[in-house]
Amino acid sequence: MRIRAEANRKGDTNLIKLQLNEFQNVDIYLKDESSHPSGSLKHRLAQSLFLWALCSGRIGPDTTIIECSSGSTAISEAYFAKLLGLKFVAVVPEGTACKKIQQIEFYGGHCEQVPASEISEHACRLAEAENGYFMDQFTYAERASDWRGEDNIAASIFRQMADEECAIPEWIVVGAGTGGTSTTIGRHLSYVRTGNKTKLCVVDPENSVLFDYYCTGDEKLRSAMPSRIEGIGRPRVEPSFFPELVDRMIKVPDHASMAALHYLESLTGRRFGGSTGTNFCGAYRLAQELEAAGEKASIVTLICDSGERYFDSYYDAEWLKKHGYGQLDFPACL
């Protein structure tokens, strides 16, 4: 009942049309998932994971909730754990943005930092030691998320696009971490495919194996380095990512993602997280292709979270210089 009441209070998220003079035929829209109460796209996933676990009898009034996350999912789950009066522990990769850790703690959560390659195993051990429940977003995201109902993100996009000039988007562009969002959208597109030409594009950052998995089908792929784009990209293939639902994948250089953030700031006066930059790079490249072909079309992608969480990284000049992102020239870097 508390989760239902929270869902009724928050309503839907805004759809923003960008003003891009370089495109005469193609419109790009950003769905602002940063406006959720816990500040990111992961609010939807956290709500679904909690409902799935509650209705499956896996969470009780004294259950400790454990999750492994680079930050945004943990923040959203900490929010719902507080809503339900449950103890929450987040296992986060070393080097996670300080602001994210502070927000997890703001909602009453506790953080344990471990090497990125060890977060899942550490969360499993911790859940066993605490007699708690490991939420495990990477396994349960695809089965917990509702892809048929009218409250999922894809259905929301189509409702909000109904009165636009190109009401049926040519593409929806998203990144993949757990695979939950791409799977939800992909399944919904299949579900309403009659008369619907919309295709799903998934963008993948450096140091992630999902693009290579899409190309090769090799489930054993591993990356020795974690993604620098927090929230998307994975060093291994996760169970909730379904390449069969994806029409196209685009590999986006981290340098382009960083440049896109600053370009978006010049367009909107707002700062966003790194995954939003990656999303925009994919949408922009598709727009270039459609524009070159003279096609009239629309593209929708997502604002995943606010740039306030990244003032000490993506928006810090010294951090950018240290990691080799000195010259941020968009779109030349695509």
Side-chain angles (χ1 to χ4, degrees):
M1 289 175 65
R2 289 181 186 179
I3 292 176
R4 285 178 181 171
E6 192 274 346
N8 287 333
R9 288 194 299 271
K10 71 180 177 62
D12 211 338
T13 59
N14 293 330
L15 192 66
I16 301 168
K17 183 178 180 180
L18 294 177
Q19 300 298 321
L20 295 164
N21 295 328
E22 56 264 51
F23 299 124
Q24 302 303 311
N25 297 307
V26 183
D27 295 321
I28 297 178
Y29 297 80
L30 303 176
K31 186 162 175 58
D32 187 5
E33 295 294 287
S34 71
S35 61
H36 284 294
S38 62
S40 80
L41 168 67
K42 299 299 185 180
H43 194 89
R44 293 180 187 269
L45 174 59
Q47 176 182 293
S48 296
L49 288 168
F50 269 92
L51 284 172
W52 188 87
L54 283 163
C55 295
S56 299
R58 299 187 177 187
I59 294 178
D62 300 313
T63 304
T64 297
I65 308 298
I66 316 292
E67 183 61 284
C68 58
S69 165
S70 64
S72 287
T73 301
I75 293 168
S76 295
E77 288 186 14
Y79 172 93
F80 280 100
K82 183 177 181 180
L83 184 72
L84 300 177
L86 300 175
K87 180 181 177 182
F88 179 76
V89 181
V91 181
V92 302
E94 292 174 344
T96 296
C98 294
K99 185 65 174 177
K100 286 187 174 183
I101 292 173
Q102 291 170 3
Q103 287 186 291
I104 293 167
E105 294 173 344
F106 172 78
Y107 290 122
H110 168 71
C111 294
E112 295 195 10
Q113 295 192 54
V114 301
S117 61
E118 300 176 12
I119 58 173
S120 293
E121 291 76 9
H122 188 87
C124 284
R125 291 194 299 269
L126 189 61
E128 185 175 348
E130 293 269 349
N131 194 27
Y133 174 66
F134 177 26
M135 195 70 82
D136 195 2
Q137 58 169 325
F138 298 108
T139 297
Y140 297 114
E142 59 90 8
R143 67 190 72 174
S145 299
D146 176 22
W147 49 271
R148 286 171 292 188
E150 287 303 307
D151 291 331
N152 74 66
I153 190 169
S156 175
I157 287 171
F158 286 120
R159 281 198 305 273
Q160 291 176 302
M161 287 291 294
D163 293 325
E164 298 300 315
E165 186 175 1
C166 295
I168 304 297
E170 187 75 22
W171 290 96
I172 296 177
V173 181
V174 300
T178 62
T181 301
S182 63
T183 298
T184 297
I185 293 174
R187 284 175 173 163
H188 188 81
L189 293 180
S190 296
Y191 187 56
V192 299
R193 185 65 73 183
T194 304
N196 186 346
K197 65 177 182 177
T198 304
K199 299 181 287 292
L200 174 63
C201 175
V202 173
V203 288
D204 203 34
E206 294 177 26
N207 300 322
S208 173
V209 302
L210 298 181
F211 176 84
D212 293 329
Y213 173 53
Y214 177 78
C215 295
T216 67
D218 184 0
E219 295 181 353
K220 297 180 180 179
L221 289 168
R222 294 291 186 274
S223 171
M225 296 288 292
S227 170
R228 282 186 182 158
I229 308 300
E230 293 188 29
I232 59 172
R234 294 297 299 152
R236 67 178 190 182
V237 177
E238 301 295 351
S240 285
F241 178 65
F242 284 67
E244 302 89 345
L245 299 172
V246 179
D247 296 291
R248 179 173 173 181
M249 283 196 75
I250 296 175
K251 193 77 171 180
V252 177
D254 289 352
H255 188 277
S257 296
M258 302 299 172
L261 293 181
H262 295 269
Y263 182 70
L264 281 171
E265 184 180 8
S266 72
L267 290 174
T268 66
R270 296 175 56 189
R271 291 180 170 182
F272 309 114
S275 54
T276 302
T278 311
N279 286 346
F280 182 68
C281 286
Y284 196 95
R285 185 181 299 180
L286 292 169
Q288 287 177 316
E289 294 173 4
L290 290 166
E291 188 75 20
E295 295 187 34
K296 191 74 174 174
S298 61
I299 299 170
V300 178
T301 191
L302 309 179
I303 297 171
C304 299
D305 59 1
S306 168
E308 292 179 1
R309 297 177 176 179
Y310 308 96
F311 283 169
D312 58 352
S313 55
Y314 305 147
Y315 292 97
D316 181 81
E318 289 301 316
W319 187 94
L320 291 170
K321 183 177 179 181
K322 176 183 176 182
H323 290 89
Y325 305 127
Q327 187 67 31
L328 299 177
D329 187 10
F330 190 88
C333 55
L334 282 178

